[in-house]
Amino acid sequence: MNTTDIMNLALEMSGFRHIPDDSEIYIEGSSLKKVLFGIDISNSDVYMAKTLGYDAVIAHHPLASSTKGFNVFKDNINILVEAGVPEESAEKAVADKYDSLRIAAGSKNYDDVVSVAKLLAMPLMNIHQPLDEIGRKLMQDAVDTVINKNPEATLSDVVEGLYCIPDFKRARTKIEILAGDDCSKAGKTLVSHGAYTNGGYDIANTCFEAGINTVIYIHIAYPDYVRLKREKKGNLIVTGHIASDCAGINPFIDRLRSEGIDVTGINGII
Ligand SMILES: [Fe+2]
Ligand SMILES: [Fe+2]
């Protein structure tokens, strides 16, 4: 396999036709047999990969693709509309955070890891949204199974259902109910994940106002959580960043291994 084959496999598994803006092949490589895969990749990881004889390095989180990756945040609109949120409300819900991500992207040194990989002639790529999409579907399926079986299912039932995904069992973090109680009815429940980063206060609040009772994020900033908890408009479950990223990444790594690639996971691949 080469780097394009690897990207195409991720697109195929997640149902994407094009490489999203937060994913990119920076340095192409072919005949790849031994690959280092990290949720985050640093300069020293690239150097280590060279020293240990790896053929390529794959990061989950954006490297230089962060200069345009924020565009993926707008895909929250589709996720919300599919969950029944009116399009105009969905567009409003993403607007402020999209702007803040776009402006923040301009401050980053996007070239650090890529320039070191170039110097070392180490093939390098990052695959973000497609792998999160694999995780999002698995998590939403786990939730839907619980609620379809029992429409009166509680938040604690939903949490238990999510633990059927092995990455959550393995993780040091726990799935937490951050707004609502164990025995609160979950009702209409949306896994809001897979569109660059969490939707913060605005997306959860928009969900609640559109009749979604429970929002599941993989992480949330503390001030957004405080506001959602105080307002008591709906329930919030947070599943943990690394555990949830792995829920989408590990099925992909399994496929790479079945294609004969020796994959070593570091930096959060649990
Ligand atoms: Fe992710
Ligand atoms: Fe992540």
Side-chain angles (χ1 to χ4, degrees):
M1 287 183 104
N2 60 30
T3 40
T4 302
D5 296 330
I6 290 179
M7 183 65 86
N8 286 342
L9 178 64
L11 299 182
E12 179 207 309
M13 283 179 73
S14 53
F16 281 76
R17 290 208 181 126
H18 305 287
I19 301 174
D21 275 353
D22 62 356
S23 305
E24 192 168 330
I25 298 168
Y26 305 99
I27 299 159
E28 291 185 356
S30 54
S31 304
L32 307 175
K33 291 189 176 61
K34 200 175 159 192
V35 167
L36 189 68
F37 201 131
I39 288 190
D40 292 293
I41 286 294
S42 66
N43 291 334
S44 55
D45 296 329
V46 174
Y47 186 72
M48 178 179 72
K50 191 74 184 177
T51 310
L52 297 178
Y54 285 88
D55 302 317
V57 178
I58 307 175
H60 173 54
H61 287 154
L63 298 164
S65 62
S66 63
T67 53
K68 56 186 175 19
F70 54 83
N71 287 320
V72 166
F73 190 70
K74 285 204 171 164
D75 287 349
N76 274 302
I77 295 170
N78 300 335
I79 295 171
L80 290 169
V81 168
E82 269 178 37
V85 175
E87 193 161 350
E88 200 183 328
S89 311
E91 281 170 4
K92 267 192 204 149
V94 306
D96 284 352
K97 190 154 179 175
Y98 172 80
D99 255 0
S100 95
L101 292 167
R102 183 176 59 82
I103 290 163
S107 74
K108 278 188 189 144
N109 179 355
Y110 56 84
D111 191 42
D112 56 352
V113 178
V114 175
S115 61
V116 169
K118 266 185 200 154
L119 200 61
L120 293 168
M122 173 57 69
L124 177 71
M125 62 196 295
N126 93 276
I127 316 173
H128 192 236
Q129 193 186 21
L131 304 187
D132 283 343
E133 178 63 10
I134 294 169
R136 183 187 72 81
K137 283 181 182 147
L138 286 170
M139 289 165 67
Q140 188 69 59
D141 282 354
V143 169
D144 291 348
T145 302
V146 171
I147 292 169
N148 290 341
K149 210 172 0 170
N150 173 17
E152 298 304 309
T154 63
L155 296 184
S156 138
D157 296 330
V158 166
V159 169
E160 200 185 312
L162 283 165
Y163 274 113
C164 75
I165 297 172
D167 307 86
F168 293 123
K169 284 188 204 135
R170 273 200 301 274
R172 283 183 176 232
T173 51
K174 295 277 161 268
I175 299 172
E176 284 199 67
I177 298 167
L178 291 187
D181 299 313
D182 284 7
C183 55
S184 311
K185 182 180 164 180
K188 191 167 180 189
T189 301
L190 177 70
V191 175
S192 176
H193 170 47
Y196 202 59
T197 189
N198 77 77
Y201 172 83
D202 286 340
I203 285 183
N205 182 56
T206 299
C207 286
F208 299 149
E209 289 185 347
I212 294 165
N213 309 97
T214 301
V215 168
I216 300 180
Y217 279 156
I218 74 162
H219 49 66
I220 187 168
Y222 185 73
D224 291 337
Y225 145 71
V226 169
R227 201 169 158 197
L228 291 166
K229 187 167 174 76
R230 194 179 49 220
E231 290 180 0
K232 291 189 169 72
K233 289 186 190 169
N235 308 312
L236 177 69
I237 295 173
V238 168
T239 52
H241 186 177
I242 294 305
S244 312
D245 270 346
C246 283
I249 292 169
N250 277 323
F252 178 64
I253 289 181
D254 289 345
R255 275 291 294 275
L256 290 177
R257 287 181 177 141
S258 74
E259 299 285 336
I261 295 187
D262 177 5
V263 182
T264 306
I266 58 162
N267 279 353
I269 308 293
I270 55 163

